[in-house]
Amino acid sequence: MSKIGVFICHCGENISATVDCERVAQELAKVEGVECAIDYKYMCSDPGQTIIKDAIREHHLDGVVVGACSPRMHEPTFRRACAEAGLNPYLCEIANLREHCSWVHEKGDATTNKAIDLVKMLVEKVKRNKPLESIKVPITKKALVIGGGIAGIQASLDIANAGHQVILVEKDPSIGGHMSQLSETFPTLDCSQCILTPRMVEVAQHPNITLYTYAELESLEGFIGNFTAKIRLKAKSVDYKKCTGCGACMQKCPQKKIPSEFNAGLGTRTAIYVPFPQAVPNKPVIDREHCNYYKRGKCKLCETACPTGAIEWDKEDEILTEQVGAIVVTTGFNVKGTDFFPEYGYGKYKDVITGLQFERLASASGPTFGEIRRPSDGTIPKKIVFIACAGSRDPAKGIPYCSKICCMYTAKHAMLYQHKVHDGESTVFYMDIRAGGKNYEEFVRRAIEEDHVNYVRGRVARVYEKDGKLIVKGVDTLLSGEQVEIEADMVVLATAGVANCGAEVLAQKMHISYDPYHFFAEAHPKLKPVETNTAGIFLAGACQAPKDIPETVGMASGAAVKVAGLFSNNELVREPLIAVVNRMPPPVFSTCVGCFMCQTACPYNAIEREEIKGRDGKVIKTVAKVNPGLCQGCGTCVAFCRSKSIDIQGYSNEQVFAEVMSLLNQ
Amino acid sequence: MNTTNSEFEPKIVAFVCNWCTYAGADLTGTSRLKYATNVKIVRFPCTGRIDFMLLLRAFAQGADGIIVSGCHPNDCHYTSGNFHARRRWITFRGLLDFMGIDVKRIQYSWVSAAEGAKWADVVNSTVANIRELGPYTEYKKVAEYLDKEDYNG
């Protein structure tokens, strides 16, 4: 006969507002095998946990069901409390009365009855729970960081400085990411490259960091502490051991008109190129798509120019296999192009540019060496219009969220423009100004008050060209409600920040979740912002949602601490909710018939063959055996097993069946 | 079958995956979206774990409808469990007619951890559908009969 303790949490009023918690406890007390049923205002609090611990000791409970919030929230809390009172933690189950009941239903009998059913179901389950011991597996103390922007750089440096090996993989020929493209940073207006490039160099020189540029994650297998990552090193066509980075090849390259990705399409580059002068590593790659030799079979001018013979024409992609214990994903974001906006000319007007392109114009290392000049004719624009929320907060465009950084960088752009073009006039069209952050609001006020940027609250309906001018038609919704028409020389769109192209493919490779906009999903929006639902994989930066540099850096350091924390153990404790093949005394040994269907179903190759031998050493039977270090507990094998010989701990056939029966047999 | 019975409260069991739909249903809660109380969730590690015989058992015990929901294709936490479940469902669905179960009584769907609103829709539409179909007793009767006769097939 079981002795189950039932504990119903009011969660302040979160549960008790719609569920009659006292009645739930009273009803549960009547259930067979329930020794005590108690309700309390905050079960997760210290006194609440003490109630559970005292009850375990007093009633000698052999099972606990807590009716509270989602088990994804406090299952570890309550399991730990049980363990402290001497009850095996896996004899504790959580009934989800908040997220799955009180928050989604109106107050009433139906809701209370559902709550009673949910707890009863778990009572039937916990009666069949078995005490389990957690599994210990070794940890590979090496981290993989994917993406070499500021987030990846910061995370790599922090993990490396904690004394662990780091592999940093960057898809482009140089690390640096979007931050290296920026001119000045808000709210201090210090030069972006000046604060970034020393860190880039530090990454390249750090003894604990192995840097692979022009490389991508090919595949990922394994689990926390023991991942196997395959990394594709794309063919650079240049031998970096021989190359000195002198740049003679780039001067000779006849392909000079390729739009430069680093300059957001405003400048040009050659086919053999270093993305920007401060690149790390400062050695070129050949862009085979545009190279004359790869396209037409002849040219090789760079080879003749190279003093060290570093060009490797026949180089192929290499696949590298690395064992790592944790992964930090820092793949960043992108911005929508001007072609996303039919109302602003579908990208056909050269002088309608994105905020990122403006950064390049304002940057001393940019195509105009920091002078604000129109891309169409190179003249200095005397009237400039900035349009905030271009795409963002616009459900009609499929981007209902706020891109967060645009208000601030638009204020910065207008300010930089006023500093560089003294007789210029700048106008910003905005919906709201969102300047939350230290010194951010003051920064925007400075743009308005000291630099006299004209802020107009309202939307721009259309931009069209007339007599060489861009006519910006909008409306001032704050003061006059009247239409505004500005003859501008240049228009800058603060286009929405979006997930990188192919982000979902990367997420699928790593088995992490992503949101409807393809940003990677954190494990908990408030309490686990850097973790993913896949243990051992962490997130940092704008791959999770648009964010500015300080937030990105903070998140990267947060993820790095998680990794360092993980690596501070020699062994990893894992949940024992894994599959087991039954064993019995002779002459049966196991009901497993050795068909090994489970082996074909297992995604982790966790099922091995075991030979059961008699005393004479002869093989009596070959049966399946689960390797507890590899099994992740998905249970696919359980549904496959024809003889019902394999079962999964925590979700056994018996337990699941009992849950369903308790729901229906009433 | 009484299709206009407004008193009828269908019993619906949802077999869901821990990583997508369970978390999605949590999000429905955190977003305070409301749905019918008829659906009760049984948590599984993965839809690949779900033995479809359990669906028959549930019907035999008096369930009026069943929801099976997990991760979208390619999004499985365990690489491929949802593909196994999908294939199993396709085979199983073909047998339902033979077993005398209306396919409309089983809702097979994909709800990710980010789709709280979708979960509320799935629940509400399933409840509405089952309400229209009415109580399901045939399978329970057959099961009882087989139990009584000590049927061992």
Side-chain angles (χ1 to χ4, degrees):
Chain A
M1 182 69 187
S2 328
K3 285 184 173 180
I4 311 292
V6 174
F7 303 90
I8 307 297
C9 179
H10 293 220
C11 192
E13 283 192 337
N14 281 308
I15 296 173
S16 60
T18 53
V19 172
D20 183 347
C21 294
E22 284 167 32
R23 190 157 81 81
V24 175
Q26 285 160 11
E27 288 297 319
L28 262 297
K30 297 176 197 163
V31 174
E32 194 188 325
V34 172
E35 188 74 12
C36 64
I38 302 166
D39 63 294
Y40 184 69
K41 208 166 181 69
Y42 292 105
M43 268 306 165
C44 58
S45 69
D46 199 34
Q49 292 188 40
T50 309
I51 292 175
I52 299 176
K53 289 184 212 170
D54 289 348
I56 292 172
R57 293 191 190 103
E58 188 186 331
H59 297 285
H60 304 288
L61 299 179
D62 54 13
V64 163
V65 176
V66 186
C69 51
S70 172
R72 301 171 70 81
M73 181 85 196
H74 275 317
E75 193 174 66
T77 313
F78 291 118
R79 287 195 163 162
R80 207 179 310 123
C82 289
E84 282 167 16
L87 183 72
N88 183 289
Y90 297 96
L91 299 177
C92 169
E93 291 285 347
I94 314 295
N96 192 339
L97 298 191
R98 195 178 72 178
E99 280 84 345
H100 290 186
C101 190
S102 72
W103 274 353
V104 289
H105 305 313
E106 307 291 347
K107 184 175 183 165
D109 283 345
T111 306
T112 303
N113 290 339
K114 178 175 171 180
I116 294 168
D117 286 350
L118 292 179
V119 184
K120 275 187 186 167
M121 190 168 100
L122 270 302
V123 168
E124 290 310 314
K125 183 183 186 190
V126 86
K127 281 180 188 171
R128 292 154 180 87
N129 276 20
K130 294 195 171 65
L132 302 173
E133 293 304 324
S134 42
I135 299 167
K136 291 192 173 123
V137 285
I139 299 178
T140 310
K141 294 188 184 183
K142 192 192 246 186
L144 172 66
V145 178
I146 305 171
I150 181 60
I153 290 171
Q154 182 70 33
S156 301
L157 287 174
D158 285 347
I159 299 168
N161 287 337
H164 304 294
Q165 292 294 314
V166 179
I167 297 165
L168 175 57
V169 173
E170 165 57 49
K171 73 174 183 340
D172 288 336
S174 167
I175 57 171
H178 280 308
M179 190 174 164
S180 63
Q181 290 177 282
L182 308 182
S183 52
E184 268 82 35
T185 56
F186 58 78
T188 48
L189 290 188
D190 45 358
C191 149
S192 181
Q193 288 201 337
C194 310
I195 51 180
L196 177 68
T197 46
R199 299 232 163 156
M200 290 163 60
V201 175
E202 206 182 330
V203 164
Q205 293 176 347
H206 203 292
N208 286 350
I209 299 177
T210 312
L211 176 61
Y212 295 119
T213 49
Y214 217 45
E216 283 177 36
L217 182 75
E218 183 77 4
S219 69
L220 184 73
E221 281 170 13
F223 49 91
I224 179 169
N226 298 277
F227 291 104
T228 304
K230 287 208 165 85
I231 298 159
R232 175 179 291 272
L233 304 178
K234 293 183 280 188
K236 298 184 178 100
S237 316
V238 175
D239 184 348
Y240 276 20
K241 286 195 189 99
K242 290 183 187 161
C243 175
T244 59
C246 69
C249 52
M250 290 189 275
Q251 287 168 358
K252 277 277 167 16
C253 182
Q255 280 282 359
K256 294 195 190 300
K257 298 231 164 126
I258 306 162
S260 156
E261 294 85 354
F262 179 75
N263 281 325
L266 290 184
T268 56
R269 63 164 171 86
T270 47
I272 182 164
Y273 73 111
V274 172
F276 54 105
Q278 301 86 345
V280 170
N282 203 340
K283 291 177 184 181
V285 299
I286 297 180
D287 167 11
R288 292 190 177 185
E289 202 188 316
H290 292 101
C291 169
N292 280 351
Y293 175 72
Y294 288 106
K295 280 201 301 191
R296 293 195 279 275
K298 54 182 172 186
C299 177
K300 291 198 176 182
L301 283 174
C302 48
E303 190 177 19
T304 51
C306 181
T308 58
I311 310 288
E312 299 179 306
W313 297 110
D314 301 328
K315 186 79 179 165
E316 284 177 7
D317 289 6
E318 274 177 62
I319 306 285
L320 200 75
T321 305
E322 289 277 1
Q323 304 294 327
V324 294
I327 295 160
V328 184
V329 188
T330 57
T331 48
F333 73 117
N334 216 331
V335 293
K336 279 282 183 195
T338 48
D339 52 349
F340 187 60
F341 301 90
E343 63 274 39
Y344 306 144
Y346 274 123
K348 70 182 170 192
Y349 305 136
K350 278 188 170 175
D351 298 327
V352 178
I353 60 171
T354 66
L356 194 60
Q357 287 173 322
F358 189 86
E359 292 284 350
R360 295 312 304 145
L361 288 184
S363 169
S365 71
T368 56
F369 306 102
E371 285 182 27
I372 310 294
R373 288 183 179 276
R374 297 187 352 150
S376 60
D377 54 11
T379 57
I380 292 174
K382 295 294 174 196
K383 265 192 182 178
I384 188 164
V385 170
F386 295 91
I387 303 176
C389 292
S392 312
R393 302 175 68 196
D394 191 350
K397 290 228 181 267
I399 306 173
Y401 58 84
C402 166
S403 295
K404 204 170 182 181
I405 50 175
C406 331
C407 285
M408 289 306 296
Y409 78 60
T410 298
K412 177 188 78 180
H413 287 171
M415 208 185 254
L416 289 177
Y417 170 76
Q418 294 293 5
H419 292 178
K420 288 176 191 243
V421 184
H422 298 290
D423 57 343
E425 267 179 50
S426 57
T427 305
V428 175
F429 282 92
Y430 69 98
M431 277 208 243
D432 302 292
I433 302 173
R434 297 188 165 176
K438 194 170 179 174
N439 292 327
Y440 282 16
E441 177 64 21
E442 295 92 318
F443 184 79
V444 176
R445 295 313 309 171
R446 216 171 96 200
I448 298 170
E449 286 158 16
E450 288 177 28
D451 292 311
H452 307 292
V453 177
N454 178 29
Y455 267 70
V456 180
R457 186 178 190 277
R459 305 293 295 151
V460 171
R462 246 184 103 196
V463 175
Y464 60 93
E465 209 167 34
K466 195 177 163 191
D467 305 332
K469 294 273 185 187
L470 291 161
I471 312 296
V472 181
K473 277 195 150 178
V475 62
D476 180 347
T477 55
L478 187 65
L479 294 174
S480 59
E482 282 172 8
Q483 289 204 0
V484 183
E485 194 175 298
I486 297 174
E487 283 186 13
D489 299 312
M490 191 187 222
V491 174
V492 183
L493 308 179
T495 57
V498 291
N500 257 328
C501 178
E504 76 283 10
V505 178
L506 182 65
Q508 288 165 357
K509 276 182 192 166
M510 297 185 291
H511 313 298
I512 61 173
S513 338
Y514 49 91
D515 69 16
Y517 315 107
H518 296 178
F519 287 113
F520 301 144
E522 67 284 359
H524 188 280
K526 286 180 281 275
L527 297 178
K528 287 184 176 177
V530 302
E531 289 96 329
T532 65
N533 269 332
T534 304
I537 303 184
F538 304 95
L539 301 175
C543 62
Q544 182 252 349
K547 48 177 63 70
D548 59 22
I549 296 167
E551 253 188 291
T552 298
V553 172
M555 196 175 175
S557 288
V561 166
K562 294 281 171 190
V563 172
L566 177 68
F567 288 176
S568 66
N569 305 298
N570 289 323
E571 278 182 328
L572 187 73
V573 178
R574 276 204 17 233
E575 293 255 321
L577 305 180
I578 57 162
V580 190
V581 182
N582 66 23
R583 286 289 180 273
M584 289 173 185
V588 180
F589 301 103
S590 168
T591 57
C592 174
V593 294
C595 70
F596 292 101
M597 284 292 283
C598 49
Q599 218 170 32
T600 63
C602 181
Y604 301 99
N605 295 325
I607 298 185
E608 297 165 356
R609 287 167 171 266
E610 188 185 28
E611 291 179 337
I612 295 176
K613 289 176 181 162
R615 281 189 190 157
D616 54 358
K618 274 189 189 160
V619 177
I620 300 170
K621 199 172 185 182
T622 308
V623 295
K625 186 188 174 201
V626 177
N627 180 331
L630 294 177
C631 177
Q632 293 299 294
C634 67
T636 307
C637 53
V638 181
F640 257 76
C641 183
R642 294 160 167 179
S643 60
K644 298 271 165 273
S645 308
I646 195 162
D647 213 343
I648 177 163
Q649 298 183 139
Y651 297 97
S652 71
N653 281 323
E654 199 193 353
Q655 286 171 308
V656 176
F657 187 65
E659 284 185 67
V660 176
M661 292 308 106
S662 91
L663 274 183
L664 299 167
N665 280 344
Q666 289 165 18
Chain B
M1 198 181 289
N2 185 358
T3 54
T4 54
N5 188 352
S6 59
E7 300 293 304
F8 166 55
E9 285 299 339
K11 285 182 186 175
I12 299 168
V13 188
F15 298 128
V16 310
C17 130
N18 176 44
W19 303 99
C20 288
T21 305
Y22 195 93
D26 276 1
L27 182 62
T28 319
T30 23
S31 320
R32 309 295 202 282
L33 300 168
K34 300 287 182 244
Y35 58 79
T37 54
N38 305 62
V39 174
K40 279 138 205 170
I41 289 177
V42 181
R43 181 157 73 135
F44 282 82
C46 176
T47 42
R49 159 70 184 87
I50 301 169
D51 184 343
F52 277 49
M53 286 303 286
L54 198 64
L55 274 63
L56 297 184
R57 294 278 206 160
F59 279 128
Q61 292 292 327
D64 300 305
I66 290 171
I67 298 173
V68 178
S69 182
C71 307
H72 288 264
N74 283 330
D75 291 1
C76 181
H77 182 79
Y78 302 106
T79 319
S80 54
N82 57 351
F83 287 129
H84 287 297
R86 183 172 67 175
R87 193 176 291 185
R88 208 172 287 145
W89 163 238
I90 287 165
T91 313
F92 185 73
R93 190 175 57 184
L95 296 170
L96 286 176
D97 193 36
F98 171 75
M99 292 185 288
I101 296 171
D102 190 342
V103 69
K104 284 186 218 152
R105 291 197 179 268
I106 304 175
Q107 172 68 45
Y108 190 95
S109 67
W110 295 312
V111 176
S112 83
E115 293 174 327
K118 186 178 175 188
W119 174 246
D121 287 345
V122 167
V123 169
N124 286 334
S125 65
T126 309
V127 172
N129 286 345
I130 303 294
R131 218 184 270 282
E132 198 153 297
L133 289 170
Y136 189 54
T137 51
E138 291 89 334
Y139 210 74
K140 193 170 183 179
K141 277 182 209 155
V142 172
E144 276 166 7
Y145 171 77
L146 294 179
D147 271 354
K148 249 182 247 161
E149 297 297 302
D150 215 6
Y151 179 74
N152 206 12

